[in-house]
Each structure stands twice: as C-alpha cells, then as structure tokens.
Amino acid sequence: MQKPSINYNPDVLSCLANLSNDEVFTSPALANQMLDLLPQQLFRSPTTTFLDPASKSGVFLREITKRLLEGLKEEIPDLQQRINHILTKQIFALPLTELTALLSRRTLYCSHRANGKYSVCDEFDDKQGNLFYSPLKHCWENGRCKQCGASQQVYDRGDHLENHAYSFIHQNLNQISERFPVKFDVIIGNPPYQLSDGGAQASAKPIYDQFVQQAIKLKPKYLSMIIPARWYAGGKGLDDFRDQMLNDKRISTIHDFPNSADCFSGVEIKGGVCYFLWEEHYQGDCLVVTHEKDKIISEMKRPLKEAGLDFFIRYNSAINIFHKVSGFHEKSFSDLVSTRKPFYLPTNFKGKSTPYQDKFNNVILYQNKGISYVKREEIPTNKQFIDAHKLFVPKAVGSGDSKTDWIKPIYAGFNTACTETYLMIGPFDERSICENVITYINTKFFHFMLTLKKNTQDATKKVYALVPKQDFSKPWTDKELYAKYQLTQDEINYIETMVRPMDKE
C-alpha cells in the first residue's frame, strides 16, 4: 500500500544561501540557541526592547516576536493588539543593505512595506516601520574610511552600488539615539565579519569588533553576538578588541565552535566562530562551552584571561596542562623562530629555475611551490644565516585545527635561504642539533602547545609562545615529554585526542 504524501513546508530562513563568508545568514535554530541564553522573563514583559544592529534575514526579529507573542498572551489577550504593540514598541533593527532591509521586513511584517496591505501590523504609517535603512557614505581620509577602515579603492562606488557603509558603526551614539528614542534592553545579532582593505591576495580587515564595541557603548542590559573566534589570539587590528574582551568580566558565557561548519553548515571561517552573552550587571568568571559537531564536549567556568597571557585559551581541558608546563618557567621556543621575511624576500619573489655556475653565489632558495636559485647579492639581509645549520617551517599551516595541521620542518644547511613563505628556526651550531629539534617538532606535545595560540592558518613567531624550549643536545619523544611535565593519563589521552596529524612523509 502506498504511503500518503506528507505536505512539508520548510522554514525559508533555514534554506537561504549565504551572501558570502563575510555576511553569513543565521539559521532559526542558531538564533534560538542565542535567545535561550537570555533571561526568559524578558519575553514576558511588554516593555522589553530589542535591537538587531545588523539584520540580514530578520531571523532574530522573527524569533523574538514569536516568544513575545506567547509571553504576552495574558498581558495583551487580543492577538492584533499584541502584534501591534510588539512590532511598534519592542522590536527594532538596522538592516545592513537595501536588499536585507526588504528581506527583514518581509520576514517580520510579512510585507516588504511595514504599512503595506499585507503587513501583519496595522499601526505603521511609513514603509520602513522599525527596520530603518538609509544609505550612508564612507568618510574617506588618506584612502581609508575614518569610521570602519574600508578601502576607498574598493568601496568608493557609484550611488547605484552597495558600498557597505553600515549605519550602526557609521553613526555616533547621538544619531542612533535620535533614530531610536528608546533604551535597548537587548542587542543581538550576527554582524558582518570583514571588509576588503585593498591589500594583496584578498587582504581583509575585521569589522565585527566595531559592532560589538558600538553595542556596548549603547549600554544595553544584555548583548549577544556571533562572531569569528580568531580574536582569541590573533587577527589583523584586533589587539585592542581582544584586550577589551579578555578584561571585561561582564561576559558571562561563550559558546565556542572551533570548526565553523558545526555552527554554519557549508561555511569555512578559519579559526571557528563563537557567540557570547554580555550582561550589564554581571561580574565574574565566564562559562566556556565547547561544541563539536552536534554535541557539547566541554563546559567550564573560568577567567577569560589567564595570568601572564594576552590571549584566550579556547580549550577548557588544556588549562591544567598549561599550568603544569608554564610552572617550569622555561624559555619559549619562539626565541628560536624568526620574524616574517627572515631574508626579506617576499612570497612573490622567484629565483632562477636552474643553478648558477658560480657555486659560491648559487644559493638554493626555498620558495612557494619548490626551490629555485639566487645569487647572494640578491638577498637583502641576514646573509650570515645562508651558511648556517637551520630549519625552515611554513608561515601558514592548515586552518588552525590541531587535528589536521602539522608543522613539517625542512633541514636547510649551508648555502640556503627562503622567501616569506617560510620562517627560519635557528641558527644552530651542528646539524645534529637541527635533527634533535625536528624530533621535538614532530611530537604531539609540541603541536598541542602550539595550538593553544594558533587558531588560524597563520604560524608566525608569536604562535610558538607557549611551546617550551628544550635541551636539544638530545632527541625528544612524547613519552619523555609527558613524564617531564608529570601529565596524568587523562591529560595524555586528551593531547592524543586533540592532535591527530596527517601522515608525515
């Protein structure tokens, strides 16, 4: 017997394709997870006010409204009166673009015009309702926008093109207050993540930090946003933001997704993403919740900032291991690692494909995708390292996921140099020391300590900061390192679980 067909209408907001990896749509499920962090009595009060300062699909606005419609049933029994009250007095937004303004109004009001024939609210007298969009211009100064840092070369466009001058961060607090004559109890959203800064190789400047900082200036009772997690330890121009976040004891909860695909299906955001709850009257440690696939794998209440560190260690189970290792007060392995451009040759520098006849001037150059040959006179600096025992390691490795990223050192003896593609480790007096250093780099312990600060593909000098330096007159194994730092079997098992390197040729 044939089964009857089931009429299934999916939620359209769960089916939207993302605008880009920088402007990612929030699913209804994720929006509700963030709303669950808030005190639920907020949705039973007719005076609670909500603002989404970066509305794209209107999903936060819709899900908040659904909760208010249920929570205010007794307070405002008449459904139409309840809808009118919620939409005119409690729900506000600043859409990012003209397109997302239309989409957000269609989601919230069931009409792209708030005062249209099919709008569920019959009290608006203008088409925008409480979802205000007005195109603004960047304020250019020396080729950059003074507000957001956007590149004039990239975003100085004609009036008919979207220029991404987002109103929430391009207006001062007085202008925002004039637009919204209310004090917001809750600010919640998913801001755009970055803007191209006009640099080489699709270089981009983070912008989500400005949305968080502007929201805090508005002094809400609660703030929740989902943002890239690379602010934990790195990110261009994020040092001040990181310092502000790590020292703000009003952040009560962080939900961390080391793999962004566990939060946004089909989207790769290197370093993962997180969403947080900031509470005006909270002062204390932060509940850090780690997600992997569809499960919560760890929860721990702890300070965001460990003593002596200027970055956030994302893994709860790593904290005790970090304390044991740092208790030895050893020098950092980063002391052995060069800064960018160890020989001051950029990544796009290319040597000669065949050797020069003069052996002294025929320097082997390790470059992007292989080796080439250069004359000594072509190397701008650090010529003294050309004839030294040293190692080269890639400056960019993987994505920041310790379960796949693996540093593969290259022994580089006499007559060698490298471009910016690599960093140099050394120099050392003997080749045997280089080989002992390689044994250390090839341990899971080394990679575990590295990943405490490396949460993106960047593997610059600073990400080696927590890796302790060893006595390199001998080789090293994980067994010796585990014993040296007195790690428990549970801690060893955790390291072994966290670091599952790819096959090493």
Side-chain angles (χ1 to χ4, degrees):
M1 180 177 177
Q2 186 176 3
K3 292 184 179 180
S5 61
I6 299 174
N7 184 15
Y8 172 63
N9 293 313
D11 185 342
V12 67
L13 296 190
S14 67
C15 305
L16 290 174
N18 293 307
L19 299 176
S20 68
N21 278 16
D22 305 334
E23 295 180 358
V24 181
F25 282 117
T26 312
S27 69
L30 179 57
N32 277 294
Q33 289 171 25
M34 294 172 65
L35 292 172
D36 286 342
L37 294 180
L38 298 168
Q40 295 306 292
Q41 64 266 27
L42 292 171
F43 302 102
R44 295 189 288 272
S45 169
T47 61
T48 307
T49 51
F50 298 84
L51 171 69
D52 180 350
S55 182
K56 294 187 283 291
S57 68
V59 65
F60 286 104
L61 311 175
R62 188 191 72 176
E63 298 306 312
I64 291 168
T65 299
K66 286 164 64 175
R67 294 187 183 216
L68 289 169
L69 282 170
E70 182 64 29
L72 297 178
K73 269 185 177 180
E74 294 185 8
E75 182 95 12
I76 311 175
D78 182 83
L79 177 59
Q80 188 59 56
Q81 289 182 12
R82 194 157 72 247
I83 291 172
N84 288 346
H85 175 85
I86 292 168
L87 297 185
T88 60
K89 307 294 185 187
Q90 296 187 263
I91 306 293
F92 303 85
L94 286 169
L96 291 176
T97 65
E98 185 174 7
L99 174 63
T100 61
L102 295 172
L103 179 56
S104 294
R105 290 192 201 105
R106 179 64 181 81
T107 297
L108 185 62
Y109 304 139
C110 298
S111 169
H112 68 275
R113 296 171 61 93
N115 61 347
K117 177 181 177 180
Y118 299 106
S119 174
V120 295
C121 178
D122 57 19
E123 289 192 356
F124 286 119
D125 55 11
D126 69 272
K127 65 179 182 180
Q128 294 210 69
N130 284 338
L131 277 62
F132 299 106
Y133 172 75
S134 55
L136 299 177
K137 293 185 180 296
H138 293 283
C139 299
W140 305 121
E141 184 175 274
N142 299 321
R144 299 273 178 214
C145 175
K146 290 192 295 184
Q147 271 86 5
C148 71
S151 165
Q152 184 173 6
Q153 177 185 352
V154 177
Y155 292 101
D156 192 6
R157 302 168 171 174
D159 293 339
H160 63 290
L161 294 174
E162 176 58 52
N163 66 359
H164 301 280
Y166 304 120
S167 60
F168 188 63
I169 59 174
H170 281 76
Q171 298 182 96
N172 60 41
L173 298 184
N174 289 335
Q175 290 172 309
I176 295 174
S177 297
E178 288 175 7
R179 172 65 77 178
F180 300 110
V182 295
K183 184 181 186 302
F184 294 108
D185 297 302
V186 178
I187 298 178
I188 189 167
N190 180 5
Y193 296 157
Q194 61 187 29
L195 287 174
S196 171
D197 61 7
Q201 298 177 341
S203 177
K205 177 186 182 299
I207 198 171
Y208 59 88
D209 53 311
Q210 297 185 45
F211 279 80
V212 175
Q213 291 169 327
Q214 183 80 313
I216 291 175
K217 290 177 184 177
L218 284 175
K219 299 180 180 179
K221 293 179 180 177
Y222 301 94
L223 165 64
S224 184
M225 286 191 177
I226 184 161
I227 57 177
R230 61 172 56 200
W231 68 266
Y232 293 169
K236 181 187 296 186
L238 290 175
D239 290 347
D240 290 343
F241 177 68
R242 176 166 51 255
D243 184 67
Q244 175 187 340
M245 294 287 280
L246 294 182
N247 288 288
D248 195 337
K249 292 187 175 295
R250 294 170 292 183
I251 300 176
S252 63
T253 309
I254 285 182
H255 283 256
D256 182 38
F257 299 79
N259 186 343
S260 62
D262 294 337
C263 185
F264 296 119
S265 178
V267 176
E268 182 186 20
I269 300 170
K270 294 187 184 299
V273 296
C274 68
Y275 61 82
F276 65 89
L277 178 64
W278 178 98
E279 303 183 51
E280 181 184 29
H281 297 300
Y282 181 79
Q283 284 288 320
D285 290 343
C286 180
L287 177 64
V288 180
V289 183
T290 307
H291 296 253
E292 185 174 300
K293 296 183 178 176
D294 295 326
K295 295 188 296 185
I296 290 175
I297 61 170
S298 176
E299 293 185 65
M300 184 179 183
K301 201 164 192 176
R302 58 185 175 92
L304 286 177
K305 186 175 182 179
E306 292 289 327
L309 298 186
D310 61 357
F311 60 92
F312 174 59
I313 296 178
R314 79 187 314 168
Y315 300 109
N316 293 327
S317 298
I319 298 298
N320 199 47
I321 299 172
F322 161 73
H323 287 157
K324 286 185 175 181
V325 175
S326 62
F328 277 66
H329 304 291
E330 295 168 302
K331 291 183 178 180
S332 172
F333 188 84
S334 64
D335 294 344
L336 300 173
V337 183
S338 72
T339 55
R340 292 176 57 226
K341 299 182 184 178
F343 295 92
Y344 216 75
L345 295 172
T347 299
N348 59 3
F349 181 89
K350 302 296 181 184
K352 188 167 172 279
S353 60
T354 57
Y356 290 96
Q357 295 301 313
D358 183 347
K359 290 185 178 181
F360 177 78
N361 279 318
N362 184 50
V363 177
I364 300 171
L365 181 71
Y366 287 81
Q367 62 183 32
N368 189 26
K369 297 181 180 179
I371 63 171
S372 63
Y373 303 90
V374 296
K375 293 182 178 180
R376 287 178 183 253
E377 62 195 49
E378 295 182 79
I379 298 174
T381 189
N382 289 331
K383 287 183 171 66
Q384 71 274 21
F385 297 146
I386 294 173
D387 292 320
H389 298 285
K390 54 194 176 289
L391 303 176
F392 293 151
V393 291
K395 186 174 72 69
V397 179
S399 64
D401 185 351
S402 63
K403 295 179 180 178
T404 56
D405 294 356
W406 190 258
I407 304 291
K408 296 181 179 180
I410 299 168
Y411 169 70
F414 292 175
N415 209 41
T416 58
C418 66
T419 67
E420 187 185 6
T421 299
Y422 295 92
L423 301 180
M424 186 184 88
I425 297 177
F428 301 104
D429 293 334
E430 301 174 15
R431 176 168 181 160
S432 61
I433 297 177
C434 290
E435 292 169 347
N436 292 337
V437 174
I438 289 174
T439 66
Y440 182 47
I441 294 174
N442 283 338
T443 63
K444 291 185 177 181
F445 172 84
F446 179 96
H447 281 80
F448 176 79
M449 296 304 297
L450 181 74
T451 203
L452 297 187
K453 193 166 185 181
K454 180 183 179 295
N455 67 352
T456 67
Q457 72 271 38
D458 290 333
T460 55
K461 177 183 177 73
K462 65 181 181 180
V463 305
Y464 293 84
L466 296 189
V467 181
K469 190 188 293 186
Q470 306 295 338
D471 172 10
F472 294 121
S473 65
K474 62 178 291 299
W476 287 93
T477 66
D478 274 316
K479 184 177 180 180
E480 291 173 303
L481 292 162
Y482 295 156
K484 174 181 175 178
Y485 295 107
Q486 301 176 3
L487 302 186
T488 67
Q489 190 58 51
D490 284 346
E491 290 165 342
I492 293 171
N493 292 342
Y494 177 67
I495 292 175
E496 300 277 332
T497 301
M498 283 294 294
V499 184
R500 298 196 296 270
M502 295 181 289
D503 292 338
K504 304 188 291 296
E505 296 86 3

